[in-house]
């Protein structure tokens, strides 16, 4: 007999929009960095390193591959900023769509953590 508990299926899983999929760790960290401010590539890498207390380091290849996907999906935008010395710098920003996806992902992760705490609590371990 199949038994499904309320904890087994989240509201996130039941959403009609099948286009929304869980974010990769890299994409999640990039969107979190851009939620703070518009940043250039190196700034994103530094922000990710800071926000993860050094536990997650984003290399240039991973960063730009993820930025390409996030740009293509409309979750991130880009602009060019003119520097004082005449050079230009590409900066990335979180779009309104990116903010909605980020908020949905944070809700999904909270549900996962809540279920984990409940299950681990039943095993007598502290989560």
């Amino acid at each position: 007999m199949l038994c499904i508990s309320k904890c087994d299926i989240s509201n996130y899983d039941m959403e009609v929009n099948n286009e929304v999929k869980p974010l990769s760790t890299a994409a999640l960290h990039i969107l979190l960095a851009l939620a703070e401010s518009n940043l250039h590539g190196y700034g994103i890498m530094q922000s990710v390193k800071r926000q993860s207390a050094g536990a997650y380091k984003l290399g240039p290849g991973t960063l730009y591959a993820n930025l390409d996907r996030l740009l293509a999906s409309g979750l991130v935008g880009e602009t060019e900023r003119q520097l004082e010395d005449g050079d230009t710098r590409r900066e990335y920003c979180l779009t309104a769509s990116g903010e909605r996806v980020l908020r949905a992902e944070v809700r999904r992760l909270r549900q996962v953590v809540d279920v984990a705490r409940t299950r681990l609590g039943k095993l007598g371990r502290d989560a």
Side-chain angles (χ1 to χ4, degrees):
M1 173 161 95
L2 180 63
C3 180
I4 299 175
S5 80
K6 182 178 178 189
C7 294
D8 290 333
I9 301 174
S10 70
N11 292 335
Y12 181 88
D13 294 328
M14 297 303 292
E15 286 181 8
V16 176
N17 183 359
N18 291 329
E19 297 297 315
V20 179
K21 302 209 184 319
L23 294 171
S24 69
T25 303
L28 175 62
H29 278 289
I30 291 167
L31 294 181
L32 285 170
L34 294 175
E36 184 177 10
S37 67
N38 297 352
L39 296 166
H40 53 83
Y42 183 73
I44 294 170
M45 289 189 292
Q46 292 300 96
S47 179
V48 167
K49 186 177 175 183
R50 258 191 327 275
Q51 72 195 15
S52 70
Y56 190 80
K57 293 178 186 161
L58 197 58
T62 301
L63 170 67
Y64 289 105
N66 276 275
L67 280 173
D68 285 344
R69 285 191 290 276
L70 293 168
L71 284 162
S73 64
L75 303 181
V76 168
E78 65 182 328
T79 59
E80 285 195 4
R81 184 171 57 109
Q82 189 80 24
L83 301 177
E84 290 178 12
D85 63 3
D87 287 343
T88 58
R89 175 174 286 166
R90 183 173 296 167
E91 287 190 339
Y92 301 93
C93 62
L94 185 66
T95 64
S97 178
E99 183 179 347
R100 281 191 302 276
V101 167
L102 179 58
R103 287 181 185 280
E105 181 68 358
V106 169
R107 281 191 304 274
R108 185 189 73 79
L109 290 171
R110 280 187 181 140
Q111 289 177 336
V112 169
V113 169
D114 289 346
V115 169
R117 284 187 176 136
T118 299
R119 302 275 168 91
L120 290 174
K122 289 179 181 177
L123 296 174
R125 296 182 187 139
D126 187 24

